[in-house]
Amino acid sequence: MASNRPAPEAPFMPAQAQPETFGYGAYRAEEGPWEEWNPTEDSVAPNRGRHRVAKQRGGFARSSTVLGVGVIAAVGAGGMASANTGKPPVSISLPDLDSVEHIFGGGSPATHQATAGGLSKVGATTESADSGNAGEALRNRIMAQAEQQKGQASSKATAAAIAAADQQTADAAAKAEKEAAAKAAAAKEKAEADAKKAAEAKRLAELAKEYTLPVASYTITGTFGQPGAMWSSGYHTGLDFAAPTGTLIKAVHSGTVTQAGWAGAYGYRTVITLDDGTELWFCHQSSINVSVGQKVSTGQVIGRVGATGNVTGPHLHLEVHPNGQATAVDPAPWLREKGLNP
């Protein structure tokens, strides 16, 4: 097999030190310079199995990250060599993680995971961690404020509900108290009215013992105020008790006889003046049993029913003149005030 002609030796020129880009700030003597090497067909061994990467000295073998960079550089160099020689590219197999750990002194997968975990955090800085903590603290503060506001809102709602319930209770109590007061007032008013009525009934009962109706058996045939031409005043001025002639006439109340005799249209009339000055006229009598100046008592007979004077039939015409005045008043209510019901 023919071999390539030896390449002319190039004058030796020290390589210029390049700034380290992978974390070193100065030129390192153990990293070169080296002479350029162009592989040939004879010098390149066939690719058998996995390609072992020689462990280099210096900073390139300090971490798996630098190893990766070295592999990339080797691949680039192989491509350059293939391009320069026109030979097919030499395939380079990248070692797996276990092989790399074996080459660089062994290690367990757990160690690799720890290393990979450490490498994944290379970009994390203290500032980002602090920012994360600050964000979490802000989030916790916001959540705490939200919970506090929610609790305050719940407390306000509870307080409002309690206040509304208290107001309703107070309103119901006030309404009940008002209704009770109204019922008590109505009961009191009714009781007072009943008491007043009872007192009036008692008074009338006592008065009824002092007053009496003039005729025991009668029929009311004429009332006060009836109009008619037969009366000189144009209306009836008394109350007519119709009864048979000769029916006894009694004194309504105790008093003094001030008139007794004929009175024209009134026929035979007896006038009794009471202690309060009220005059009672008993008219159309058939006979008179008392005389002027005589004292009479309640229920005493003073005469008899007749039809004398201007009449249409036998009856007693009763008139009431308060304080002896000429104008008469209705006898019916006056008698009722004395406990009598004509």
Side-chain angles (χ1 to χ4, degrees):
M1 179 181 293
S3 60
N4 293 337
R5 293 176 59 186
E9 296 182 0
F12 175 76
M13 294 182 65
Q16 300 294 326
Q18 299 295 328
E20 179 63 57
T21 60
F22 299 103
Y24 305 102
Y27 168 74
R28 306 178 70 88
E30 65 270 21
E31 296 178 2
W34 299 287
E35 295 181 0
E36 182 180 0
W37 175 71
N38 295 322
T40 63
E41 183 178 358
D42 295 334
S43 62
V44 176
N47 182 17
R48 298 176 182 176
R50 296 181 177 179
H51 180 71
R52 295 173 60 89
V53 178
K55 184 175 181 180
Q56 297 181 3
R57 296 179 180 178
F60 285 94
R62 293 184 179 183
S63 67
S64 59
T65 304
V66 178
L67 175 62
V69 175
V71 172
I72 294 172
V75 173
M80 292 175 61
S82 299
N84 292 332
T85 59
K87 301 296 183 178
V90 178
S91 62
I92 299 176
S93 299
L94 297 178
D96 57 9
L97 183 59
D98 294 339
S99 299
V100 173
E101 295 293 341
H102 178 72
I103 293 172
F104 288 99
S108 62
T111 305
H112 169 66
Q113 291 177 0
T115 304
L119 291 176
S120 65
K121 297 179 181 180
V122 171
T125 62
T126 303
E127 181 179 0
S128 62
D130 293 341
S131 300
N133 294 335
E136 185 67 18
L138 179 59
R139 177 181 176 276
N140 293 336
R141 186 183 304 170
I142 293 174
M143 293 300 293
Q145 292 179 353
E147 290 296 331
Q148 183 179 5
Q149 293 176 356
K150 183 178 179 181
Q152 292 176 354
S154 177
S155 300
K156 290 181 179 179
T158 303
I162 293 174
D166 292 342
Q167 185 64 35
Q168 290 179 356
T169 303
D171 293 343
K175 182 178 179 181
E177 183 178 359
K178 185 176 180 180
E179 291 178 353
K183 289 181 180 179
K188 182 179 179 181
E189 184 178 358
K190 184 177 183 300
E192 291 177 351
D194 292 342
K196 184 177 180 180
K197 184 177 180 181
E200 182 65 14
K202 183 178 179 180
R203 185 185 72 84
L204 293 177
E206 294 296 329
L207 286 175
K209 296 177 182 180
E210 299 178 7
Y211 291 83
T212 185
L213 291 174
V215 180
S217 179
Y218 60 90
T219 301
I220 301 296
T221 57
T223 58
F224 182 84
Q226 285 181 318
M230 60 184 306
W231 297 293
S232 60
S233 62
Y235 64 93
H236 192 220
T237 56
L239 186 64
D240 290 345
F241 294 82
T245 300
T247 303
L248 297 177
I249 300 173
K250 301 176 182 178
V252 174
H253 189 59
S254 60
T256 303
V257 177
T258 55
Q259 291 184 24
W262 182 260
Y266 289 103
Y268 288 104
R269 178 184 69 178
T270 300
V271 176
I272 299 175
T273 303
L274 306 182
D275 295 338
D276 63 357
T278 302
E279 293 182 356
L280 301 179
W281 294 6
F282 301 85
C283 306
H284 307 303
Q285 294 180 237
S286 60
S287 63
I288 299 174
N289 294 355
V290 292
S291 60
V292 175
Q294 182 181 348
K295 297 288 186 179
V296 296
S297 60
T298 302
Q300 181 178 346
V301 175
I302 61 173
R304 294 178 182 272
V305 174
T308 59
N310 189 10
V311 295
T312 58
H315 69 278
L316 170 64
H317 175 85
L318 178 65
E319 288 190 8
V320 177
H321 294 259
N323 297 320
Q325 64 188 20
T327 304
V329 296
D330 190 350
W334 185 88
L335 291 172
R336 282 194 290 268
E337 289 177 357
K338 305 305 186 281
L340 303 174
N341 187 17

